[in-house]
Amino acid sequence: MDTSPTAHPTTVTAPATPHRRRVATAAALASAVEWYDYFVFGIAAALVLGDLYFPAGSSTAGVLASFATFAVGFLARPLGGIVAGHLGDKRGRKPMLVLALTLMGVATTGIGLLPTYDTIGVAAPVLLVTLRVVQGLAVGAQWGGAMLLATEYAPEGKRGVYGSVVQLGVPIGVVTANSVFLLAGAFTTDTAFAAWGWRVPFLVGLLVLFLAWYIHTRVEETPAFREAERALAEQEKSERGSPLRTVLRDHLGTVLLAGGSFAVNTATFYILITGVLDYTTRELGMNRGAVLTVSLCVSLTQLVLIPASAALSDRVGRIRIYAVGAVGIALWAVPLFLLIDTGSLLWLAVGTFVASCFLSIMYGPQAALFAELFTPEMRYTGASLGYQIAAVGGGGLAPFVMVLLLEATGTSMSVSAYIVALSVIALVSIKVLADKARSS
């Protein structure tokens, strides 16, 4: 029996295949460049931002401060999702995606140009936090817009596959961010990298503005939104409800379940790409370039696994595939850190690769799953809220929590326990979503 939530059908005129492909490509690129801009901050936070913007008596205090700034971006993401979701359900998916890309390009470039603490004093960390908040608002707004551009243009029976092209933006963003940092490190000395080399990946983010222009001029609004807009136009203006109010009043439980189901995925992901980078280089003494290379190679495997799991979810159901990934993350949490603690690049690669496989199994069908939980007139709001709640509860705090747990306990097994606890929450949430789907 297919336990995926019932999709809400919408009667629309099927767009031509070439246009579908152009929209899917634009959505994937939007996701990739947005996540690239977002991830370069995480890498920089693990490598240089603590010393440059938060000088303190110990390296641990500086890292904690930079990871706290990293987390601030996640706290802003729900607000970006709420505002863009509300306007996206009323005004359209495309305008909000263009706005999100523009905000991200401006904020990321600003970080690349920002003077350090030694130059402008306390204004430096204040401005850094402010720009990180703007990044958070932008990525909170982006995911729903890109995801809905892809899934609402998807042909019958392929919503999972089309949704996965947006999910591919995450590994593409990680690979690109790691690659640019590796190149910056390879062509600079350690002193030059700390002085200016780390800024190059942020300045590359300016290219996102060109993509925003392309989507604004070449991509049409989704058929599902146009149909929902026509339906709403038949109502009196005074009778039209707020998508946000409707979601919070009638579907808050679904939003919380969606967030609970995904927090373990986003937490484990940021532990792997940011927390582990700090842990292996600062605590285990491993080479920065080598660890970044492992992260890059592991992320490349997701380019195959994410669409494969999404395609399988189109055949056997979203929740079945989603649950397999959550179980795998729980079972692998302890072996993951036992392998990392060896200090061997080979075992680091093995541990993170297997973890990445389970993350991909969950992440592939997630866009279509969240889209199918809500009807078109509230889909941007509902799906964005669920995703961003998971991002705050999981991803934003994960590297910070990891450092605190390591300092407090002296063992990486405490981080494994943290992942297992989030896995239990995910499995309970998935079970309730599956029960709701069967009864609908």
Side-chain angles (χ1 to χ4, degrees), residues 120-161:
I120 60 173
V122 73
V126 170
L127 289 172
L128 182 67
V129 170
T130 301
L131 290 170
R132 181 59 177 171
V133 168
V134 176
Q135 279 194 320
L137 293 171
V139 82
Q142 173 273 145
W143 181 80
M147 179 270 291
L148 292 179
L149 272 184
T151 59
E152 290 186 345
Y153 265 106
E156 187 68 26
K158 292 188 177 180
R159 184 175 282 170
V161 171

Side-chain angles (χ1 to χ4, degrees), residues 31-116:
S31 178
V33 297
E34 190 91 347
W35 286 116
Y36 165 83
D37 282 6
Y38 201 68
F39 290 148
V40 292
F41 191 101
I43 297 173
L47 297 178
V48 296
L49 295 185
D51 292 334
L52 296 176
Y53 290 92
F54 304 97
S58 71
S59 61
T60 299
V63 169
L64 281 172
S66 64
F67 278 166
T69 306
F70 177 72
V72 164
F74 286 82
L75 296 177
R77 281 172 60 169
L79 179 58
I82 288 170
V83 174
H86 177 79
L87 295 176
D89 282 329
K90 280 188 167 289
R91 306 298 181 189
R93 292 31 169 143
K94 188 180 81 169
M96 293 303 102
L97 179 57
V98 171
L99 177 61
L101 291 169
T102 303
L103 284 175
M104 181 62 84
V106 171
T108 303
T109 305
I111 294 172
L113 298 173
L114 187 64
T116 64

